[in-house]
Amino acid sequence: MPAFRPARAQVVAVDIGHTVAAPGATSARGRGEFDFNRELATQVVKALQARGMTVRLINADGNIASLRARPAEAEAEGAVLLISLHHDSVSANELQRWRWNGEVREYNDDHAGHSLFVSRENPELGRSLLCARVIGARLQRLGFTPTHKNARRRPYADAVHAVHFYDGLAVLRHARMPALLFEAGVIRNRDEELLLRDQKRQARMADGIATAVAACLRNGKPAD
């Protein structure tokens, strides 16, 4: 397979993880993950566009047909990178109960922070890993702290920047272009949930992601 070469258009596909019907994890206060993903995606799109990139938003209405449809749509749009945005949770056996607004909810305050994932089944693993590393590095320079809880189940691709291998993720392994999945934080954590809903913080995180993506696609050399 020939080496990957970014197109001049620099089309980046931003995928909103999960759907309206299957909203993903539930936050400590009962909010679905899809809503968090959609809010962050809006900020990431703006930040990428501010850097002169063409952006294609995948699953904008939250009704995409399947997991495979996400990378397929990105490929059809000519994307040189696919970023799938998510928010993290914890295992059911780690949850505790509390009462919020008169309802019993579940939380875990032990884990917080972002993490990234790539698939070794993606044909563009080198570029995928490079972009994930650069994003992780940039966010840490901005003061964002990663979580390392996912190393309990997913091996490290880069421990310093909290990048993990998750080979079976459909949105990554079915992509023909470089692809990564970003977990912005742990919404089961009561304090971090509030931070993740703060629009100024979302914009700052998005700015870090966009700066890193620009550096990766324009200047970076893929990993071996």
Coordinates of all heavy atoms in Angstrom, one line a residue, residues 135-203:
I135 N -1.8 15.2 19.8 CA -2.9 15.7 20.5 C -2.7 15.5 22.0 O -2.9 16.4 22.8 CB -4.2 15.0 20.1 CG1 -4.6 15.4 18.7 CG2 -5.4 15.3 21.1 CD1 -5.8 14.6 18.1
G136 N -2.3 14.3 22.4 CA -2.0 14.1 23.9 C -1.0 15.0 24.4 O -1.1 15.6 25.5
A137 N 0.1 15.2 23.7 CA 1.2 16.1 24.1 C 0.7 17.6 24.3 O 1.0 18.3 25.2 CB 2.3 16.0 23.2
R138 N -0.1 18.0 23.2 CA -0.6 19.4 23.3 C -1.5 19.6 24.4 O -1.4 20.7 25.1 CB -1.3 19.7 21.9 CG -1.8 21.1 21.8 CD -0.7 22.1 22.0 NE -1.3 23.5 21.9 CZ -0.6 24.6 22.2 NH1 0.7 24.5 22.6 NH2 -1.1 25.8 22.2
L139 N -2.4 18.7 24.7 CA -3.4 18.9 25.8 C -2.7 18.9 27.1 O -3.0 19.7 28.0 CB -4.4 17.8 25.7 CG -5.4 17.8 24.6 CD1 -6.4 16.6 24.6 CD2 -6.2 19.1 24.6
Q140 N -1.7 18.1 27.3 CA -0.9 18.1 28.5 C -0.2 19.5 28.7 O -0.1 20.0 29.8 CB 0.0 17.0 28.6 CG -0.7 15.6 28.9 CD 0.3 14.5 29.1 OE1 1.2 14.6 30.0 NE2 0.0 13.4 28.4
R141 N 0.3 20.0 27.6 CA 1.0 21.3 27.7 C 0.0 22.4 28.1 O 0.4 23.4 28.7 CB 1.7 21.7 26.4 CG 3.0 20.9 26.1 CD 3.9 21.6 25.1 NE 3.2 21.5 23.8 CZ 3.4 20.4 22.9 NH1 4.2 19.4 23.3 NH2 2.8 20.4 21.7
L142 N -1.2 22.2 27.7 CA -2.3 23.2 28.1 C -2.8 23.0 29.5 O -3.6 23.8 29.9 CB -3.4 23.1 27.1 CG -3.2 23.6 25.7 CD1 -4.4 23.4 24.8 CD2 -2.8 25.1 25.7
G143 N -2.3 22.0 30.2 CA -2.7 21.7 31.5 C -3.8 20.7 31.7 O -4.2 20.4 32.9
F144 N -4.2 20.0 30.7 CA -5.2 18.9 30.8 C -4.4 17.7 31.2 O -3.4 17.3 30.7 CB -5.9 18.7 29.5 CG -6.8 19.8 29.1 CD1 -6.4 20.7 28.1 CD2 -8.1 19.9 29.6 CE1 -7.2 21.8 27.7 CE2 -8.9 21.0 29.2 CZ -8.5 21.9 28.3
T145 N -5.1 16.9 32.2 CA -4.4 15.8 32.7 C -5.1 14.5 32.2 O -6.3 14.4 32.2 CB -4.5 15.8 34.3 OG1 -3.9 16.9 34.8 CG2 -3.8 14.5 34.9
P146 N -4.3 13.5 31.7 CA -4.9 12.3 31.1 C -5.3 11.3 32.2 O -4.7 11.4 33.4 CB -3.8 11.8 30.2 CG -2.5 12.2 30.9 CD -2.9 13.6 31.4
T147 N -6.1 10.4 31.9 CA -6.4 9.3 32.8 C -5.6 8.1 32.3 O -5.4 7.9 31.1 CB -7.9 8.9 32.9 OG1 -8.0 7.8 33.8 CG2 -8.4 8.5 31.5
H148 N -5.1 7.2 33.2 CA -4.5 6.0 32.9 C -5.2 4.8 33.3 O -4.7 3.7 33.3 CB -3.0 6.0 33.5 CG -2.2 7.1 32.9 ND1 -1.5 6.9 31.7 CD2 -1.9 8.3 33.3 CE1 -0.8 8.0 31.4 NE2 -1.0 8.9 32.4
K149 N -6.5 5.0 33.6 CA -7.3 3.8 34.1 C -7.6 2.8 32.9 O -7.7 1.6 33.2 CB -8.7 4.3 34.6 CG -9.7 4.8 33.5 CD -11.0 5.2 34.1 CE -12.0 5.5 33.0 NZ -12.3 4.4 32.1
N150 N -7.5 3.3 31.7 CA -7.8 2.4 30.6 C -6.7 1.4 30.3 O -6.9 0.5 29.5 CB -8.2 3.2 29.3 CG -9.5 4.0 29.5 OD1 -10.5 3.5 29.9 ND2 -9.4 5.3 29.3
A151 N -5.6 1.6 30.9 CA -4.5 0.7 30.7 C -4.8 -0.7 31.4 O -4.1 -1.7 31.1 CB -3.2 1.3 31.3
R152 N -5.8 -0.7 32.2 CA -6.1 -2.0 32.9 C -6.7 -2.9 31.8 O -6.7 -4.1 32.0 CB -7.2 -1.7 33.9 CG -6.7 -0.9 35.1 CD -7.8 -0.6 36.1 NE -8.9 0.2 35.5 CZ -9.9 0.6 36.2 NH1 -10.0 0.3 37.5 NH2 -10.9 1.3 35.7
R153 N -7.2 -2.4 30.7 CA -7.8 -3.3 29.7 C -7.2 -3.1 28.3 O -7.3 -4.0 27.5 CB -9.4 -3.0 29.6 CG -10.1 -3.3 30.9 CD -11.6 -3.1 30.7 NE -12.2 -3.9 29.6 CZ -13.4 -3.6 29.1 NH1 -14.1 -2.7 29.6 NH2 -13.8 -4.4 28.2
R154 N -6.7 -1.9 28.1 CA -6.2 -1.6 26.7 C -4.7 -1.3 26.8 O -4.3 -0.3 27.5 CB -6.9 -0.4 26.1 CG -8.5 -0.6 26.1 CD -8.9 -1.7 25.3 NE -10.3 -2.0 25.4 CZ -10.9 -3.1 25.0 NH1 -10.2 -4.0 24.4 NH2 -12.2 -3.3 25.2
P155 N -3.9 -2.0 26.1 CA -2.4 -1.8 26.2 C -2.0 -0.4 25.6 O -2.7 0.2 24.8 CB -1.8 -2.9 25.3 CG -2.9 -3.3 24.4 CD -4.2 -3.1 25.1
Y156 N -0.9 0.1 26.2 CA -0.4 1.4 25.7 C 0.2 1.3 24.3 O 0.9 0.4 24.0 CB 0.6 1.9 26.7 CG 0.1 2.5 27.9 CD1 0.4 2.0 29.2 CD2 -0.7 3.6 27.9 CE1 -0.1 2.6 30.4 CE2 -1.2 4.2 29.0 CZ -0.9 3.7 30.3 OH -1.4 4.3 31.4
A157 N -0.1 2.3 23.6 CA 0.7 2.6 22.4 C 1.7 3.7 22.7 O 2.8 3.7 22.2 CB -0.2 3.1 21.2
D158 N 1.4 4.5 23.7 CA 2.2 5.6 24.2 C 1.8 6.0 25.6 O 0.8 6.7 25.8 CB 2.2 6.8 23.3 CG 3.0 8.0 23.7 OD1 3.4 8.0 24.9 OD2 3.3 8.8 22.9
A159 N 2.5 5.4 26.6 CA 2.0 5.6 28.0 C 2.1 7.1 28.4 O 1.3 7.6 29.2 CB 2.9 4.8 28.9
V160 N 3.1 7.8 27.9 CA 3.3 9.2 28.4 C 2.1 10.1 28.0 O 1.7 10.9 28.8 CB 4.6 9.8 27.7 CG1 4.7 11.3 28.0 CG2 5.8 9.0 28.3
H161 N 1.5 9.8 26.8 CA 0.4 10.6 26.3 C -0.9 9.9 26.4 O -1.9 10.4 25.8 CB 0.8 11.1 24.9 CG 2.0 11.9 24.8 ND1 3.1 11.5 24.1 CD2 2.4 13.1 25.4 CE1 4.1 12.4 24.3 NE2 3.7 13.3 25.0
A162 N -1.0 8.8 27.1 CA -2.2 8.1 27.4 C -2.9 7.7 26.1 O -4.1 7.8 25.9 CB -3.2 8.9 28.2
V163 N -2.1 7.2 25.1 CA -2.6 6.6 23.9 C -2.6 5.1 24.0 O -1.6 4.5 24.3 CB -1.8 7.1 22.7 CG1 -2.4 6.5 21.4 CG2 -1.6 8.6 22.6
H164 N -3.8 4.5 23.7 CA -3.9 3.1 23.8 C -4.3 2.4 22.5 O -4.8 3.0 21.6 CB -5.1 2.8 24.8 CG -4.9 3.4 26.2 ND1 -4.4 2.7 27.2 CD2 -5.3 4.6 26.6 CE1 -4.4 3.5 28.3 NE2 -4.9 4.6 28.0
F165 N -3.9 1.1 22.4 CA -4.4 0.3 21.3 C -5.8 -0.2 21.7 O -6.0 -0.8 22.7 CB -3.5 -0.9 21.0 CG -2.1 -0.5 20.4 CD1 -1.0 -0.8 21.1 CD2 -2.1 0.2 19.2 CE1 0.3 -0.4 20.5 CE2 -0.9 0.5 18.6 CZ 0.3 0.2 19.3
Y166 N -6.7 -0.1 20.8 CA -8.0 -0.7 20.9 C -8.4 -1.2 19.5 O -9.1 -0.5 18.7 CB -9.1 0.3 21.4 CG -10.4 -0.2 21.9 CD1 -11.2 0.5 22.7 CD2 -10.8 -1.5 21.6 CE1 -12.4 0.0 23.2 CE2 -12.0 -2.1 22.0 CZ -12.8 -1.3 22.8 OH -14.0 -1.8 23.3
D167 N -7.9 -2.4 19.2 CA -7.9 -2.8 17.8 C -9.3 -3.1 17.2 O -9.5 -2.9 16.1 CB -7.0 -4.1 17.7 CG -5.6 -3.8 18.0 OD1 -5.1 -2.7 17.8 OD2 -4.9 -4.8 18.5
G168 N -10.2 -3.5 18.1 CA -11.5 -3.9 17.6 C -12.5 -2.8 17.4 O -13.6 -3.1 17.0
L169 N -12.2 -1.6 17.7 CA -13.1 -0.5 17.5 C -13.5 -0.3 16.1 O -12.6 0.0 15.2 CB -12.5 0.8 18.1 CG -12.6 1.1 19.6 CD1 -11.9 2.3 20.0 CD2 -14.1 1.2 20.0
A170 N -14.7 -0.5 15.7 CA -15.2 -0.5 14.3 C -14.9 0.8 13.7 O -14.4 0.8 12.5 CB -16.7 -0.8 14.3
V171 N -15.1 1.9 14.4 CA -14.9 3.2 13.7 C -13.5 3.5 13.3 O -13.2 4.2 12.4 CB -15.4 4.4 14.6 CG1 -14.5 4.5 15.9 CG2 -15.6 5.7 13.9
L172 N -12.5 2.8 14.0 CA -11.1 2.9 13.7 C -10.6 1.9 12.7 O -9.9 2.2 11.7 CB -10.3 2.8 15.0 CG -10.6 3.9 16.1 CD1 -9.6 3.7 17.2 CD2 -10.6 5.3 15.6
R173 N -11.0 0.6 12.9 CA -10.4 -0.4 12.1 C -11.0 -0.5 10.7 O -10.4 -1.0 9.8 CB -10.5 -1.8 12.8 CG -11.9 -2.4 12.9 CD -11.8 -3.6 13.8 NE -13.1 -4.4 13.8 CZ -13.4 -5.4 12.9 NH1 -12.5 -5.7 12.0 NH2 -14.5 -6.0 13.0
H174 N -12.2 0.1 10.5 CA -12.8 0.1 9.2 C -12.5 1.3 8.4 O -12.9 1.5 7.2 CB -14.3 -0.1 9.3 CG -14.8 -1.4 9.8 ND1 -14.5 -2.6 9.1 CD2 -15.5 -1.8 10.9 CE1 -15.0 -3.6 9.7 NE2 -15.6 -3.2 10.8
A175 N -11.8 2.3 9.0 CA -11.4 3.5 8.4 C -10.2 3.2 7.4 O -9.3 2.5 7.8 CB -11.0 4.6 9.4
R176 N -10.2 3.8 6.2 CA -9.1 3.7 5.3 C -8.1 4.8 5.4 O -7.0 4.7 4.8 CB -9.7 3.6 3.9 CG -10.6 2.5 3.5 CD -9.9 1.1 3.7 NE -10.1 0.6 5.1 CZ -9.4 -0.4 5.6 NH1 -8.5 -1.0 4.9 NH2 -9.7 -0.8 6.8
M177 N -8.5 5.8 6.2 CA -7.6 6.9 6.4 C -7.1 6.9 7.9 O -7.7 6.1 8.7 CB -8.3 8.3 6.2 CG -9.3 8.7 7.2 SD -10.8 7.6 7.3 CE -11.5 8.0 5.7
P178 N -6.1 7.7 8.3 CA -5.8 7.7 9.7 C -7.0 8.0 10.6 O -7.8 8.9 10.2 CB -4.7 8.8 9.8 CG -4.1 8.9 8.4 CD -5.3 8.5 7.5
A179 N -7.1 7.4 11.7 CA -8.3 7.5 12.6 C -7.9 7.4 14.0 O -7.1 6.5 14.4 CB -9.4 6.5 12.2
L180 N -8.5 8.1 14.9 CA -8.3 8.0 16.3 C -9.6 8.3 17.1 O -10.5 9.0 16.5 CB -7.2 8.9 16.8 CG -7.4 10.4 16.6 CD1 -8.0 11.1 17.9 CD2 -6.1 11.1 16.2
L181 N -9.7 7.8 18.2 CA -10.9 8.0 19.1 C -10.4 8.8 20.3 O -9.4 8.4 20.9 CB -11.6 6.7 19.5 CG -12.9 6.9 20.3 CD1 -13.9 5.8 19.9 CD2 -12.6 6.8 21.8
F182 N -11.0 9.8 20.7 CA -10.7 10.7 21.8 C -11.7 10.7 22.9 O -12.9 10.9 22.6 CB -10.5 12.1 21.3 CG -10.1 13.1 22.4 CD1 -8.9 13.0 23.1 CD2 -11.0 14.1 22.8 CE1 -8.6 13.9 24.1 CE2 -10.8 15.0 23.8 CZ -9.6 14.9 24.5
E183 N -11.3 10.3 24.1 CA -12.2 10.3 25.2 C -11.9 11.6 26.0 O -10.8 11.7 26.5 CB -12.0 9.1 26.1 CG -12.4 7.8 25.5 CD -13.8 7.4 25.7 OE1 -14.6 8.3 26.1 OE2 -14.2 6.2 25.4
A184 N -12.8 12.5 26.1 CA -12.5 13.9 26.6 C -12.4 13.9 28.1 O -11.8 14.8 28.7 CB -13.5 14.9 26.1
G185 N -13.0 13.0 28.8 CA -13.0 13.0 30.2 C -14.0 12.0 30.8 O -14.7 11.3 30.0
V186 N -14.1 11.8 32.1 CA -14.9 10.8 32.7 C -16.2 11.5 33.2 O -16.1 12.2 34.3 CB -14.1 10.1 33.9 CG1 -15.0 9.0 34.5 CG2 -12.8 9.5 33.3
I187 N -17.3 11.3 32.6 CA -18.5 11.9 33.0 C -19.2 11.3 34.2 O -20.2 11.9 34.7 CB -19.5 12.0 31.8 CG1 -19.8 10.6 31.2 CG2 -19.0 12.9 30.7 CD1 -20.9 10.7 30.1
R188 N -18.7 10.2 34.6 CA -19.2 9.6 35.9 C -18.6 10.3 37.1 O -19.1 10.2 38.2 CB -18.9 8.2 36.0 CG -19.8 7.3 35.1 CD -21.2 7.2 35.6 NE -21.9 6.1 35.0 CZ -23.2 5.8 35.2 NH1 -23.9 6.5 36.0 NH2 -23.8 4.8 34.5
N189 N -17.5 11.1 36.9 CA -16.9 11.8 37.9 C -17.7 13.1 38.1 O -17.8 13.9 37.2 CB -15.4 12.1 37.6 CG -14.7 12.9 38.6 OD1 -15.1 14.0 39.1 ND2 -13.5 12.3 39.0
R190 N -18.2 13.4 39.3 CA -19.1 14.5 39.6 C -18.4 15.9 39.3 O -19.1 16.8 38.8 CB -19.6 14.4 41.0 CG -20.5 13.2 41.2 CD -21.0 13.1 42.7 NE -19.9 12.8 43.6 CZ -20.0 12.6 44.9 NH1 -21.2 12.7 45.4 NH2 -19.0 12.3 45.6
D191 N -17.2 16.0 39.7 CA -16.5 17.3 39.4 C -16.1 17.4 38.0 O -16.3 18.5 37.4 CB -15.2 17.4 40.3 CG -15.6 17.5 41.8 OD1 -16.7 18.0 42.1 OD2 -14.7 17.2 42.6
E192 N -15.6 16.4 37.4 CA -15.2 16.5 36.0 C -16.4 16.7 35.0 O -16.3 17.3 34.0 CB -14.4 15.3 35.5 CG -13.8 15.5 34.1 CD -12.6 14.6 33.8 OE1 -12.8 13.4 33.9 OE2 -11.6 15.1 33.4
E193 N -17.5 16.1 35.4 CA -18.7 16.3 34.6 C -19.0 17.8 34.4 O -19.3 18.2 33.3 CB -19.9 15.6 35.2 CG -21.2 15.9 34.4 CD -22.5 15.4 35.1 OE1 -22.4 14.9 36.3 OE2 -23.6 15.5 34.5
L194 N -18.9 18.5 35.5 CA -19.2 19.9 35.4 C -18.2 20.7 34.6 O -18.5 21.6 33.8 CB -19.3 20.5 36.8 CG -20.4 20.0 37.7 CD1 -20.3 20.6 39.1 CD2 -21.7 20.2 37.1
L195 N -16.9 20.3 34.7 CA -15.9 20.9 33.9 C -16.1 20.6 32.4 O -15.9 21.5 31.5 CB -14.5 20.3 34.3 CG -14.0 20.7 35.7 CD1 -12.7 20.0 36.0 CD2 -13.8 22.2 35.8
L196 N -16.5 19.4 32.1 CA -16.7 19.0 30.7 C -17.9 19.7 30.0 O -18.0 19.8 28.8 CB -16.9 17.5 30.6 CG -15.6 16.7 30.9 CD1 -16.0 15.2 31.1 CD2 -14.6 16.8 29.7
R197 N -18.8 20.3 30.9 CA -19.9 21.0 30.3 C -19.6 22.5 30.2 O -20.4 23.3 29.7 CB -21.1 20.8 31.3 CG -21.6 19.4 31.3 CD -23.0 19.3 32.0 NE -24.1 19.9 31.3 CZ -25.3 19.8 31.6 NH1 -25.7 19.0 32.6 NH2 -26.3 20.4 30.8
D198 N -18.5 23.0 30.7 CA -18.1 24.4 30.6 C -17.7 24.7 29.2 O -16.7 24.2 28.7 CB -17.0 24.6 31.6 CG -16.6 26.1 31.7 OD1 -17.3 26.9 32.3 OD2 -15.6 26.4 31.0
Q199 N -18.3 25.7 28.6 CA -18.1 26.0 27.2 C -16.7 26.6 27.0 O -16.0 26.3 26.0 CB -19.1 26.9 26.7 CG -20.5 26.3 26.5 CD -21.5 27.2 25.9 OE1 -21.2 28.4 25.6 NE2 -22.7 26.7 25.6
K200 N -16.2 27.4 27.9 CA -14.9 27.9 27.8 C -13.8 26.8 27.8 O -12.8 26.9 27.1 CB -14.6 29.0 28.9 CG -15.4 30.2 28.7 CD -15.1 31.3 29.8 CE -15.8 32.6 29.6 NZ -15.5 33.6 30.6
R201 N -14.0 25.9 28.7 CA -13.1 24.8 28.8 C -13.2 23.9 27.5 O -12.1 23.4 27.0 CB -13.3 23.9 30.0 CG -12.3 22.8 30.3 CD -12.7 22.1 31.6 NE -11.6 21.1 32.0 CZ -11.5 19.9 31.5 NH1 -12.4 19.5 30.6 NH2 -10.6 19.1 32.0
Q202 N -14.4 23.7 27.1 CA -14.5 22.9 25.8 C -13.8 23.6 24.7 O -13.1 22.9 23.9 CB -16.0 22.8 25.4 CG -16.9 22.0 26.3 CD -18.4 22.1 26.0 OE1 -18.7 22.9 25.1 NE2 -19.2 21.4 26.8
A203 N -13.9 24.9 24.6 CA -13.2 25.6 23.5 C -11.7 25.5 23.7 O -11.0 25.4 22.7 CB -13.7 27.1 23.5

